[in-house]
Amino acid sequence: MLRSYREAYERLLPLVEKPGRYLGNERGTHPKDLQQVRLRFALAFPEVYEIAQSHLGLQILYDILNRRPDVAAERVYAPWPDLEALLRARGLPLVSLESHLSLADFHVVGFSLQYELTYTNLLTMLELGGVPLRAAARGPEHPLVIAGGPCAFNPEPLAPFLDAVVLGDGEEAVGDVCDAVLAWDGRERRDLLRALAALPGVYVPAFFTPRHHADGTLAAIEAVEPSQTTVRKRVLVDLDRFPPPEQPVVPHLGVVHDRASVEVMRGCVKGCRFCQAGYVYRPLRERNPERVVEQATELMRRTGYEELSLLSLSTGDYSGVNPVLKTLMDRFAPEHVAVSLPSTRVDALSPKILEEIRRVRKTGFTIAPEAGTQRLRDVIQKEYREEELLEAARLFADLGWRTLKLYFMIGLPSETETDVRGIAELSRRVREAASGRLRVTASVSTFVPKPHTPFQWAGQLSVEETRVRQALLRRELARHKIEFRWHDAELSYLEGIFSRGDRRLADVLETAQRRGARFDGWSDHCRMDVWRDALAEHGLEAPFYLRRRPLGEQLPWDHLDAGLSRRFLLQDLARAVEGVLTPDCSIERCTYCGACDFEAVRNIDHHLEGAKGGDHRGRGIARWAELAMPPEDDGRPAWETRAWHEIRARVAARAAARAPKPRVGAEPAAAPLAARLADGTASVDPGSGEGNAEEWLDAVPSSFTPPAPTPPAVTRVRLRYRKVGPARFIGTRELTTVFLRAARRAGLSLAFSQGHHPLPRFSFGPALPLGFSSDDEYVDLELTEHLAPEAVMTRLAAELPAGLEPRAATEVPRSAQSIESEIAAFLYEVDLGALDAPPDPAAVAAGVARFAAAEAFPVRKRSRHGERAIDARRAVRDLVVTGPQRLRLEVQVAPEGTLKPGPLLGLLLDLPSDAEPLLRVHKLATRFHGSSRDHPAAPSA
Ligand code: SF4
C-alpha cells in the first residue's frame, strides 16, 4: 500500500523558510493515479527547488516519461537544511512533489548530475528517502538508482552509489531503461543490471573494477563482464524527433531561470578547449527553425511566461537565429514578452541579433571573452578578435544597454601574469569603447579541467595560487573602476577534485556527507573543514587530483567513450600548445573528432552547404527565412549568420576564380524569391507544392508588420477571490507573476504601464501573510478592451492554479481609489487545533475574558522598519470563542497598518514562541469603508 505524506508535510510547511518549494501543485504537473501505472519514476535533482526547477533537461524527461500511460514520473528535489532538520526530527521521509510518495516507493530514482558540488545532496536525498546509499546493499525491493547529465561522463566518485549511469542524450535511453525494469522478473538485481548494461549508452559501475598503483594512480579499470569493455555514449541523431515539452511545469516561486525555453540546437563544434559540453554533446544538431517558431508560440500560449529563451551552447551560431528572432519578436514584442539568448559567443553577436533582443528588454547583457590576451584566446580556441568585442560594447551602449558583464577564467593552461593583467586591461578597453556609458563588471572564475576535453590532462590552480591571481585582479580592476566578481577559490578546488576524481573518493563523499556537508556549491554552506578531514581520513590528498596528468596515465574515465578519439584530443592539445585554431566542422572541414559515423550520426544544420558529412537542410527553410528577412539591398541573404556570410564570401571567391567567363547575353541570375514575390515577377501556386511561401505568409502575418503601440487601458475589473489549500503558501511577490501568467494564458488583453520597463496594470489588496488562507481577497486588473467582468472571472478561473478561486467580479471606475485605501477591517478565524500542544479550552476562554476586561493591551509589532507597540484593545473588535479550539476576531486597518492575530494570541494564551507559525488563520471577510460593509464584488450574504 502506497502512503502519501501530504498531510504530514503540510504541517511542516509553516515552519520552513520557503514553503513554495514543496507544494508540487504548479501548472503543468502530471499527478497520475499511481495504482493505474506499472512503473513509478522519480526524477531527482540534487539541488534546491529554484535551481532544479530551472533545468530544461528535467522538464524534457518529465514530459517524455509522463506521455507513457504505463509510467508516472514525479519530481524530487533536495530539501533545504530547514526542511531536512524537520524531517529528521519527526522521522519523515523525503517525498516526491506530486504525490508526496517516499523515494523508497519508486521503482526508479534518476538523478540529474549537472555539478560536482551537488554530490553530497544526492547522498542526503537517498538517505532521507530510505534508499540504501551503496548499490551493493540494495535488494530487489529497492529502487534502481541511475544518473545522467554532464557529470555522468566521469561518475567514478559516485560509482558505488549508482546502479547505472546514462551517458549522453537521455530522450530515448530513459524509455529503454523503463522497458528493461518492466521486463525484469523482480528477483535477482544482477539480472536487471545485465539487461541495463546491454542498452546503448548505459554504464553499470558494478561491472568495472579499478585497480590502483601504490602511488594512487590508476593501473587499470577491469571489466567484470568481458562482453563490455567500454561504454559509448547515446546520441539522439535528430533533435526534431522530440519536440520541446508542450506543457512544462510553470513554477509559482521565482526560480533561477524563470522563463519558457526552447532548445534550438544541441552540441557545439566551435571547439572551445575548456568546455566539456562542447565536446561531449557533439555532433551539432539544430532544430528546424520553422518548427522552433511554431513550438515557441504554442509554448508561450500554454505557459503565459513573460520571457522566452532560445537555448543552446551558443545560440548566436544557430543558423536560423536571425529569422527566428525576428519572427518571434514581431509576434511577442506587442505583448511585452522578451526573447533572450542565454549563451552567445562574442563573434556570433551581430547588430541584427542585438536589435531584436533589445526591443523588449535592455537591462543587462553578459558575454564571455574568457581570456584577456589574444595569445591565451588562441590557446583556448576563442576565435573572436578584440576589435569585435569593442565594437559589440559600442553597439550595446548605442542600443540602450546600461550594464555589461564580462566572464573570464583564471588558471587556464599556460597562463602568465601578463594574461591575468590582460583581463583588467581588456575590461578597461571595453568600458572606454562604450565611452563610459556601460557599467562593466568582470566576473572571474577559476579554470577546472574537465574529462573528455583536450585540457583533461592540464593542472589546476591551488587555492593559494588562485587567491594571489584574484588579488592582482582586484587591484588592477579597481584602478580602472571596473566591478570585480570572483568565484570562491575553495569551491573550484573541490569541484576540481571530483571532476577528475576516481572511485576512491566515494568514501570521502560519504564521510563528508555524514559529517554535515550539504549544498557545497553554495559558499555560505560549504564546510571545507569537513572536506579536509574526510580526505585525510581516507588517506587522499587534493593535490593528487588537481595535478597535471602525464599523457600516458590511465584516466578514471578512459572506459567511457564520449565519442571523442584520444588521437583527436591529443592533436587538439598540440594545436592549443601552438596557439593554432581547429576549424569549425559545420562550416569548414571535418577534423575527425570521432563523434560522427557520417551515416546516422552527423552534424545537422540549416545552412545551405557545409563541411563533409554534414546534413545541410538550409534549402528546406531558405524560402521561409527569406520571407521573414528579405535579402540585403545587394541581394545577399539577410537571414544567415555572420559566420555564414564569411564562409559564403570565401566559397564565392573560390568559385569565381574557377568559373568560366559568362557568355555575352546570358540570362542574369534570378533574384531571391522574396524580392521576386514583392515585385510581382514570381507568384506562388498553393496547389503546386510551391505553396509554402504563401502559407507561411498567412501563418506568420506579423513577420512584415511593425509592432503596434500598446493600446491604453479602457476598463478596470475588480476581482474577488479565495486563496486556500496549498495556494496559501504562494507569497505576495509570486502572486503577481501567477496572475500575470494566468491572464496571458486566458488571452486577456492586459494593459501595461509606459516607460522603459512596462509593468502589467495589476493592483492587489493588502498582502495576506504567508500561510494565511482567505475567502475574501481582491485584485484590480486593467484591460485594453472591454470585456464583461463575468467573462474575465471565468477565463481566469480556468487558468489559475488550484486554491486560487475567483468568486465575483465587477467593473470599477478607472479613477477609483486603490483597494487598500477602501479597506476598514479584516475578519479572521483562528484554529488553535493545529498547534503541537493546543491550549486548554478553559485557558482560552479565560484569555479572551481577560482581553475584554483590559483597558489597554499592548502587542509588539515587528516590521522591517523596526519594532513598535500597538494597542490591541483599540485595533481588535469582537474577539470571541466560536468553538472548542476556534476564535474569531475583527482587526481594524489603520493608516499605520494592521495587527496580525498571531502575536496577540501568542501573548494572550501564553503560547511558546515557535507556535505562532502553526496557527491556522483564515480570513473570513474583508470589511470596506462606507455604508456597505462589504465590497460590491463580494456576495451579499
Ligand atoms: S566527426 Fe568531424 S564533422 Fe563530426 S563533429 Fe567531429 S569534427 Fe565535426
Side-chain angles (χ1 to χ4, degrees), residues 409-599:
M409 273 186 280
I410 51 172
L412 286 160
S414 83
E415 183 180 78
T416 64
E417 186 175 329
T418 309
D419 299 311
V420 179
R421 289 181 185 276
I423 291 174
E425 273 304 305
L426 186 59
S427 306
R428 177 184 66 78
R429 287 198 289 275
V430 165
R431 188 166 167 268
E432 285 173 2
S435 313
R437 289 171 293 166
L438 286 176
R439 193 159 62 85
V440 176
T441 303
S443 180
V444 181
S445 62
T446 308
F447 166 66
V448 176
K450 294 283 176 176
H452 308 285
T453 68
F455 290 163
Q456 65 180 355
W457 295 279
Q460 183 178 333
L461 291 186
S462 66
V463 171
E464 295 70 30
E465 285 171 301
T466 302
R467 288 191 175 140
V468 168
R469 291 177 206 208
Q470 286 174 344
L472 172 63
L473 271 177
R474 190 173 297 114
R475 228 176 26 243
E476 290 300 304
L477 288 164
R479 259 185 349 112
H480 303 312
K481 300 192 172 47
I482 310 272
E483 205 176 311
F484 178 42
R485 298 254 171 89
W486 62 96
H487 194 244
D488 190 321
E490 291 188 321
L491 299 193
S492 305
Y493 161 92
L494 209 51
E495 180 186 343
I497 294 171
F498 286 97
S499 161
R500 293 187 298 164
D502 54 37
R503 213 175 274 196
R504 298 174 305 164
L505 285 170
D507 293 339
V508 178
L509 263 177
E510 196 175 340
T511 301
Q513 188 272 342
R514 218 179 283 130
R515 295 202 183 138
R518 304 282 189 279
F519 291 97
D520 302 292
W522 300 63
S523 41
D524 48 344
H525 285 255
C526 183
R527 295 186 43 197
M528 286 310 291
D529 54 331
V530 167
W531 284 107
R532 285 199 189 92
D533 291 351
L535 279 165
E537 188 171 318
H538 294 284
L540 299 175
E541 290 179 344
F544 173 84
Y545 292 101
L546 304 185
R547 80 204 144 92
R548 190 177 76 68
R549 314 278 170 107
L551 296 181
E553 183 175 321
Q554 169 95 32
L555 301 171
W557 53 93
D558 274 352
H559 58 309
L560 304 177
D561 180 355
L564 302 150
S565 73
R566 180 180 162 81
R567 189 167 150 268
F568 168 77
L569 291 179
L570 285 168
Q571 277 174 347
D572 216 36
L573 179 65
R575 283 191 283 262
V577 172
E578 291 165 8
V580 174
L581 300 177
T582 303
D584 172 342
C585 63
S586 73
I587 57 175
E588 295 199 47
R589 65 181 174 82
C590 172
T591 44
Y592 300 99
C593 71
C596 300
D597 63 14
F598 301 110
E599 288 176 4

Side-chain angles (χ1 to χ4, degrees), residues 221-499:
I221 301 169
E222 286 160 356
V224 175
E225 302 270 320
S227 59
Q228 196 191 30
T229 52
T230 57
V231 181
R232 183 158 174 115
K233 73 170 177 185
R234 192 74 176 254
V235 180
L236 174 63
V237 296
D238 188 345
L239 220 52
D240 280 322
R241 283 194 197 168
F242 284 86
E246 278 181 5
Q247 181 62 80
V249 175
V250 182
H252 308 319
L253 200 68
V255 297
V256 176
H257 301 306
D258 201 5
R259 55 202 177 206
S261 299
V262 175
E263 184 186 23
V264 295
M265 65 179 182
R266 193 172 297 173
C268 173
V269 287
K270 294 293 166 191
C272 303
R273 292 180 176 125
F274 53 85
C275 174
Q276 187 189 39
Y279 285 91
V280 299
Y281 290 117
R282 287 177 176 217
L284 177 78
R285 287 148 292 159
E286 292 189 342
R287 258 188 217 288
N288 180 315
E290 290 184 51
R291 298 287 92 75
V292 166
V293 170
E294 290 166 6
Q295 289 156 351
T297 305
E298 185 58 15
L299 188 66
M300 298 313 283
R301 191 184 67 74
R302 284 169 180 262
T303 59
Y305 272 113
E306 50 288 336
E307 184 175 344
L308 166 71
S309 173
L310 301 177
L311 266 187
S312 76
L313 290 171
S314 176
T315 303
D317 292 308
Y318 172 56
S319 51
V321 66
N322 288 324
V324 166
L325 253 181
K326 175 159 190 335
T327 311
L328 290 175
M329 289 306 303
D330 284 349
R331 199 165 289 183
F332 293 135
E335 297 169 25
H336 303 279
V337 170
V339 181
S340 62
L341 313 185
S343 174
T344 302
R345 295 177 319 104
V346 175
D347 47 327
L349 284 171
S350 71
K352 279 197 189 77
I353 291 177
L354 294 178
E355 278 168 19
E356 291 300 335
I357 293 174
R358 67 123 196 192
R359 280 168 61 181
V360 170
R361 198 163 292 172
K362 47 182 173 193
T363 43
F365 206 94
T366 302
I367 47 178
E370 310 286 6
T373 61
Q374 189 60 50
R375 184 201 68 80
L376 196 52
R377 287 196 287 273
D378 290 342
V379 168
I380 63 173
Q381 173 108 357
K382 272 281 158 190
E383 275 190 62
Y384 72 92
R385 296 177 295 275
E386 181 172 317
E387 188 43 45
E388 288 176 311
L389 175 61
L390 302 184
E391 189 52 48
R394 274 178 219 117
L395 202 56
F396 288 135
D398 290 348
L399 291 175
W401 270 284
R402 290 292 164 259
T403 62
L404 177 64
K405 192 191 268 188
L406 304 173
Y407 268 122
F408 293 99
M409 273 186 280
I410 51 172
L412 286 160
S414 83
E415 183 180 78
T416 64
E417 186 175 329
T418 309
D419 299 311
V420 179
R421 289 181 185 276
I423 291 174
E425 273 304 305
L426 186 59
S427 306
R428 177 184 66 78
R429 287 198 289 275
V430 165
R431 188 166 167 268
E432 285 173 2
S435 313
R437 289 171 293 166
L438 286 176
R439 193 159 62 85
V440 176
T441 303
S443 180
V444 181
S445 62
T446 308
F447 166 66
V448 176
K450 294 283 176 176
H452 308 285
T453 68
F455 290 163
Q456 65 180 355
W457 295 279
Q460 183 178 333
L461 291 186
S462 66
V463 171
E464 295 70 30
E465 285 171 301
T466 302
R467 288 191 175 140
V468 168
R469 291 177 206 208
Q470 286 174 344
L472 172 63
L473 271 177
R474 190 173 297 114
R475 228 176 26 243
E476 290 300 304
L477 288 164
R479 259 185 349 112
H480 303 312
K481 300 192 172 47
I482 310 272
E483 205 176 311
F484 178 42
R485 298 254 171 89
W486 62 96
H487 194 244
D488 190 321
E490 291 188 321
L491 299 193
S492 305
Y493 161 92
L494 209 51
E495 180 186 343
I497 294 171
F498 286 97
S499 161

